[in-house]
Amino acid sequence: MTSSSDRSPAVDVRSSKTYEIRTYGCQMNVHDSERLSGLLEEAGYVRAPEGSNGDADVVVFNTCAVRENADNKLYGNLGHLAPQKAKRPGMQIAVGGCLAQKDRDTIVKKAPWVDVVFGTHNIGKLPVLLERARVQEEAQVEIAESLEAFPSTLPTRRESAYAAWVSISVGCNNTCTFCIVPALRGKEKDRRPGDILAEVEALVAEGVSEITLLGQNVNAYGSDIGDREAFSKLLRACGTIDGLERVRFTSPHPRDFTDDVIAAMAETPNVMPQLHMPLQSGSDTVLKAMRRSYRQERYLGIIEKVRAAIPHAAITTDIIVGFPGETEEDFEQTLHVVREARFAQAFTFQYSKRPGTPAATMENQIPKAVVQARYERLIALQEEISWEENKKQVGRTLELMVAEGEGRKDGTTHRLSGRAPDNRLVHFTKPEQEVRPGDVVTVEITYAAPHHLLAEGPVLDVRRTRAGDAWEKRNAAEAAKPTGVMLGLPKIGVPAPLPVATGSGCGCD
């Protein structure tokens, strides 16, 4: 267990020291990076300005091991930072996350200018390891084999003032042949329900109005504590928290998606009509090879039950194209499920070998040209369905939670952006009244595109919220903070980090 003395109080850092964190991979890594930011700020570091591109006293890479060539991309980024580190005495580089857990000593051997390597189970040690590396003037590699303390006990600098991740479990008990995550994050470990609800209540007290329950296999929650209905009970308990307006969760596994969860979603008003349900393949043969413990009929049965209980639910999914041994008939089965399920969106991936997974050594690897052709057919079909499903939203009146930074063209179009209850992205006309992220507006949908909706008429109603107040208060506090002193070294074209996955919370995608 990591004690408080292992963290920042023992670390003396000048307030002018800056940090930058680069995050790769799934939502678990995004949330871990919020904790790393919290740890560093508690230790006295100041976040580097946007666009610093490595011009910071500490640069942390929070890595992913499931993406293709993840190691090569990491070492490329580290290589670009080497000359910058040589010019800047005292600069430190740390590497954590799944790739660090997997490669361990290899990172320091290939990039000896790295100061700290830490794993997925001991992120709370980062400030101590940085200080130890500075004092001892040698790299510190510390990889815990099991969880030292549940990450939610660590300080957190959340990226949003109005919406928050809440981790309910870590690890995964599945053995999907394409996924290395269970080997790197360990077996599933559940938090106590009381601890989860206490965190949610504390967040709501701070102004948060939307939470997303997060787990590698979120609806398996309860297997570690011996209660098969623990997840549905948790959803219902969230419904009793005053001030909590929206509850989401990601990502469930079809194997564990039971009728009590569907009932809890339908009967709990603040659980949003949205479901991200990874399919991966529509072929029973491929699903068996993937070690996915459901088949097409079971999957479509879940979708049918959800739609019957929650007619306006938006269902999204993950799909892998070109898994080893996938035939044209297998792929046609995937297209069949896509037509039947009518997903609002699908996060689609071309299969590529992940070192350390059983699938990487399977026979009948599919030629790249075949995978590409199938992928393009799937994309075309899903785009058509997404557009058709979005057109059904035209004329509906929806409440949107105003979002921050989700509309790239908002400045030029004089619009704002928000999320509907089913998580569809809506761009709407900016009203004369001040509207803040976290506030709620009521609009009528006038136009649909495959990936967003428009509300081009006047806003029908604006509801100022405690979440908007929290955003305003946080921005004022951020503006009053002292900024780190940058040395103004020339930028050296560090490659942009990989985009954060928006699909499953699991490394499966």
Side-chain angles (χ1 to χ4, degrees), residues 7-20:
R7 300 207 304 259
S8 57
V11 183
D12 182 19
V13 180
R14 296 193 316 274
S15 62
S16 62
K17 281 201 170 184
T18 58
Y19 76 90
E20 174 189 345

Side-chain angles (χ1 to χ4, degrees), residues 266-326:
E267 296 166 10
T268 310
N270 64 357
V271 175
M272 294 294 96
Q274 172 212 354
L275 175 63
H276 183 78
M277 178 75 79
L279 169 65
Q280 308 305 5
S281 174
S283 162
D284 288 355
T285 301
V286 174
L287 288 171
K288 183 177 180 181
M290 289 178 167
R291 289 190 201 149
R292 301 287 285 181
S293 51
Y294 55 89
R295 299 295 178 258
Q296 181 189 118
E297 184 178 4
R298 158 78 171 152
Y299 186 93
L300 287 174
I302 293 171
I303 301 301
E304 184 178 355
K305 287 180 179 179
V306 170
R307 288 248 160 82
I310 316 166
H312 287 302
I315 301 174
T316 58
T317 196
D318 299 330
I319 300 174
I320 297 172
V321 178
F323 188 80
E326 181 188 72

